[in-house]
Amino acid sequence: MSVHDANRLREQIATLGKSLFDRGLTMGSSGNISVRLDDGGWLMTPTNACLGRLDPARISRLDRDGRLLDGDAPTKESFLHRAMYDERPQSGAIVHLHSTHSVAVSCLPDIDPCDCIPPLTAYYVMRVGRLPLVPYHIPGDPALGDAVRGLAGKHSAVLLANHGPVVAGKNLEAAVYATEELEETAKLYLLLRGHNPRGLTPEQVAELEARFPRD
């Protein structure tokens, strides 16, 4: 990958990170973003960085073995990203947020751990699909990476209990769109609890999955 292409991706990470932050989808120094590079390495947002104030030049660049090549030290949750990438060679980017409604769903005691949010809308099915719950681990616990790795091969998004979503996409724009769709559907799900909402039927879900395959 050329320096020009890498710099373009750094700018895109900063622009989309600011968009997510400005709309309240992440706060403080929470959340992180990564993009896979053609040489097998990654660009990742730095540790303790605010997505709303990223300096493109300081975004971490790692080689295929996870060694820092330039920029600041990467997010301390880089192992989550690498676990997803290991199981999803088709994915080009990952977004992890602590978005309010998605985290709220992850704290509920009665959700289906194999599919945390029902198929309420077509776009949720198209962009997210089935969303499994990863049991709670203390932040930074390497075992969390192993738990994510066990699900990532079959799911483009997972929900970390009492923590937030990790979402993969074929490129950064797709990963951001899917993360936004997940957060909005989590909000819908919370609004509709207790109202016996009409979701999509299994046949409708199957038709969407066949017509609009995710990465």
Side-chain angles (χ1 to χ4, degrees), residues 71 87 130 148:
E87 300 300 319
R130 294 177 67 86
V148 168

Side-chain angles (χ1 to χ4, degrees), residues 36-54:
R36 193 201 300 264
L37 301 175
D38 292 344
D39 61 8
W42 300 274
L43 293 175
M44 288 189 185
T45 50
T47 186
N48 293 321
C50 172
L51 294 189
R53 298 188 295 274
L54 291 172

Side-chain angles (χ1 to χ4, degrees), residues 12 25 73 90 105 113 128 130 172 203:
Q12 186 184 37
L25 287 160
Q90 71 276 37
V105 170
V128 180
R130 294 177 67 86
L172 182 53
E203 294 76 18

Side-chain angles (χ1 to χ4, degrees), residues 176-197:
V176 168
Y177 288 164
T179 305
E180 292 169 337
E181 194 69 39
L182 170 52
E183 175 65 5
E184 286 303 304
T185 309
K187 183 177 181 179
L188 282 175
Y189 176 61
L190 295 169
L191 287 170
L192 292 168
R193 276 174 66 83
H195 292 280
N196 192 27

Side-chain angles (χ1 to χ4, degrees), residues 83-120:
M84 289 285 282
Y85 286 122
D86 284 348
E87 300 300 319
R88 303 192 64 79
Q90 71 276 37
S91 293
I94 290 169
V95 175
H96 167 50
L97 300 181
H98 299 176
S99 41
T100 301
H101 299 94
S102 299
V103 175
V105 170
S106 82
C107 298
L108 294 174
D110 56 348
I111 54 174
D112 180 353
C114 296
D115 196 10
C116 297
I117 298 175
L120 295 173

Side-chain angles (χ1 to χ4, degrees), residues 1-20 33-35 37 43-46 50-61 70 172-173 176:
M1 173 172 287
S2 69
V3 172
H4 172 76
D5 289 338
N7 287 341
R8 177 182 55 81
L9 288 172
R10 291 175 187 268
E11 293 286 350
Q12 186 184 37
I13 290 171
T15 297
L16 292 176
K18 185 176 188 306
S19 174
L20 292 168
I33 295 171
S34 68
V35 174
L37 301 175
L43 293 175
M44 288 189 185
T45 50
C50 172
L51 294 189
R53 298 188 295 274
L54 291 172
D55 178 350
R58 297 177 66 179
I59 289 174
S60 314
R61 180 167 183 168
D70 58 65
L172 182 53
E173 197 170 64
V176 168

